[in-house]
Amino acid sequence: GDSAAFPAFRDRAVCAPQDPRVLDRMLPYLTACYGNPHSRTHAYGWESEAAVERARRQIAELIGADSREIIFTSGATESNNMAIKGVARFYKSRKKHIITTQTEHKCVLDSCRSLESEGFRVTYLPVKKNGLIDLKELEAAVQPDTSLVSVMTVNNEIGVKQPVGDIGEICRRHKVFFHTDAAQAIGKIPMDVNDMKIDLMSISGHKIYGPKGVGAIYVRRRPRVRLEPLQSGGGQERGLRSGTVPTPLAVGLGAACEVAQREMEYDHKRISQLAERLVTKIMSEVPDVVLNGDREHRYPGCVNLSFAYVEGESLLMALKDVALSSGSACTSASLEPSYVLRAIGTDEDLAHSSIRFGIGRFTTEEEVDYTVQKCIQHVKRLREMSPLWEMVQDGVDLKSIKWTQH
């Protein structure tokens, strides 16, 4: 279908639209059932509490946890802050060192920076060219006073999937807690906190077609992980995250987890085929395209391509109607060359020419084909305007040129 007729409507759905089934589950709690889940004196309260506990079970089931290990938060950013600062501060009398990677989400890196100013030492592990960490380097980085290792499961920019089970193994062997930011992985690839020996895990609502503004953190009970809470108050959520739990949002997150669990296999297969179609078609028509990140170890719904001799920002501007007219094949790039691409050793100019394509549950084949067609058309057009492209066609080696500084 050609949905260009109502671009404004589609635009709201750009990255991860909410699954209509999730909204259906939330509606009663947004209107009729308006009890505070923490007041047990009236029936509305019981109803809300039961709904929140059911959602807790749905989340726990998706990751193989016990529902008492699930704590509601406002999203993965808060969960990441809680895990990293919470563990570090709780064990600070004996342990002053944490380990993470250079390609983590900004909120993990910023939490680590903030701990450095409190006197903690942080090791930022580099990643290999393919975006994966070196397990030997990780093991070598562990010190007697390391309290936490934090490594994301699926990277939000290049889609690579870290060897989470192996990392969990190393952490358990050295009696170090293992936290993973699984916002991009949960409900998309199978995750089991016991198999993978994960002690803390961050979850986001809108990344799995649930509502925005809600997330969760999994905190293991055995071996027990202790955290210093970031937020003090009435002691809700086992005292780890005070504040009234927003029933409709919690219910939405639970519903999203339930749907994801049921449809994970189907979604994954479909998204893999669409991603394959996108990459194959673009690469067969356009030379000098690089797929960033490991080809094998990845989540297929996040595709990051670099188009040599094209300014990513101008390609994105040319593609801006794609996000409008094909709501779900979301594309993005930024002026700042990405620190994730820099970490995998991408040349500065290639980093500037990269575009991220997000393919999800609601992306259609027509949308992918439309995106591909526009992408090919604009890359060719922009290259024809580029003096660099012309020089390369004439056989000039750009690396050999001495550019004069203005």
Side-chain angles (χ1 to χ4, degrees):
D2 176 25
S3 44
F6 32 76
F9 163 71
R10 272 317 198 99
D11 192 32
R12 275 189 303 220
V14 172
C15 281
Q18 198 165 316
D19 192 302
R21 291 166 290 192
V22 170
L23 188 57
D24 284 345
R25 294 276 188 87
M26 290 167 65
L27 274 173
Y29 299 94
L30 286 164
T31 51
C33 314
Y34 40 75
N36 174 338
H38 310 296
S39 21
R40 299 210 173 85
T41 47
H42 52 76
Y44 283 133
W46 299 326
E47 209 173 312
S48 292
E49 191 190 0
V52 167
E53 293 318 308
R54 175 166 175 233
R56 215 186 285 281
R57 284 195 302 277
Q58 291 167 322
I59 299 164
E61 228 157 82
L62 179 60
I63 61 172
D66 179 302
S67 63
R68 291 169 299 180
E69 298 174 304
I70 303 297
I71 281 145
F72 286 103
T73 67
S74 63
T77 294
E78 185 186 358
S79 301
N80 285 335
N81 273 267
M82 270 173 82
I84 292 162
K85 295 173 181 168
V87 167
R89 289 172 184 162
F90 190 92
Y91 296 97
K92 68 169 179 274
S93 57
R94 302 195 309 285
K95 304 188 163 182
K96 298 290 279 188
H97 179 241
I98 51 184
I99 299 172
T100 187
T101 79
Q102 293 174 2
T103 52
E104 293 301 302
H105 193 278
K106 264 281 194 280
C107 62
V108 167
L109 297 176
D110 284 352
S111 294
C112 289
R113 294 265 184 270
S114 131
L115 287 173
E116 284 180 299
S117 70
E118 292 172 31
F120 290 89
R121 302 188 319 287
V122 181
T123 300
Y124 298 93
L125 293 173
V127 292
K128 297 178 287 195
K129 266 267 192 239
N130 61 2
L132 300 175
I133 64 165
D134 183 327
L135 293 168
K136 290 193 189 66
E137 278 184 33
L138 168 64
E139 188 135 28
V142 176
Q143 296 168 23
D145 72 337
T146 305
S147 61
L148 183 74
V149 168
S150 179
V151 179
M152 76 200 314
T153 304
V154 169
N155 185 277
N156 52 308
E157 274 194 45
I158 55 175
V160 298
K161 185 166 102 222
Q162 298 291 350
V164 177
D166 299 334
I167 298 170
E169 203 63 66
I170 292 171
C171 292
R172 188 64 56 85
R173 205 165 53 239
H174 291 281
K175 295 191 167 46
V176 173
F177 290 129
F178 173 36
H179 164 251
T180 188
D181 171 0
Q184 298 285 345
I186 190 110
K188 299 177 181 177
I189 57 175
M191 296 290 292
D192 185 296
V193 291
N194 294 314
D195 289 353
M196 296 172 164
K197 299 185 169 50
I198 294 165
D199 298 305
L200 302 111
M201 180 196 273
S202 301
I203 296 170
S204 162
H206 65 266
K207 296 282 190 299
I208 53 168
Y209 314 101
K212 289 186 171 64
V214 69
I217 181 172
Y218 154 79
V219 181
R220 180 177 289 284
R221 287 169 71 91
R222 304 196 229 304
R224 190 182 172 100
V225 183
R226 308 292 302 274
L227 314 171
E228 188 179 290
L230 292 182
Q231 195 152 293
S232 320
Q236 293 92 340
E237 297 302 277
R238 306 210 328 257
L240 289 176
R241 206 280 188 184
S242 286
T244 299
V245 173
T247 306
L249 296 182
V251 166
L253 178 56
C257 286
E258 190 194 288
V259 171
Q261 187 167 9
R262 206 171 50 231
E263 305 196 353
M264 189 184 308
E265 216 173 308
Y266 172 79
D267 279 348
H268 193 277
K269 214 164 95 184
R270 212 180 137 268
I271 288 168
S272 300
Q273 285 163 351
L274 290 176
E276 185 61 33
R277 185 180 179 100
L278 177 99
V279 174
T280 311
K281 284 190 154 190
I282 288 178
M283 287 191 163
S284 65
E285 289 284 325
V286 181
D288 297 318
V289 180
V290 180
L291 173 70
N292 294 305
D294 196 275
R295 262 187 179 278
E296 296 305 304
H297 305 277
R298 64 181 311 111
Y299 167 63
C302 178
V303 175
N304 190 309
L305 298 176
S306 292
F307 298 89
Y309 320 110
V310 170
E311 189 67 65
E313 197 64 19
S314 45
L315 179 55
L316 194 67
M317 289 313 288
L319 288 176
K320 71 175 181 297
D321 67 316
V322 168
L324 286 171
S325 53
S326 65
S328 323
C330 136
T331 48
S332 66
S334 79
L335 278 173
E336 179 71 16
S338 136
Y339 63 91
V340 173
L341 294 179
R342 215 175 296 147
I344 61 174
T346 309
D347 276 354
E348 189 82 3
D349 50 350
L350 261 187
H352 265 303
S353 64
S354 80
I355 296 272
R356 179 177 65 175
F357 299 86
I359 297 167
R361 181 181 293 163
F362 301 111
T363 307
T364 64
E365 203 169 89
E366 295 80 52
E367 286 168 347
V368 167
D369 290 349
Y370 180 80
T371 302
V372 164
Q373 172 214 326
K374 287 286 183 205
C375 192
I376 293 168
Q377 177 194 332
H378 289 303
V379 168
K380 288 182 171 166
R381 182 179 61 83
L382 289 165
R383 278 181 177 171
E384 270 156 24
M385 292 159 50
S386 159
L388 296 179
W389 175 248
E390 207 174 315
M391 289 160 82
V392 171
Q393 301 318 297
D394 294 343
V396 178
D397 174 11
L398 295 182
K399 293 259 183 277
S400 66
I401 299 175
K402 292 276 175 284
W403 302 98
T404 56
Q405 287 294 316
H406 293 296

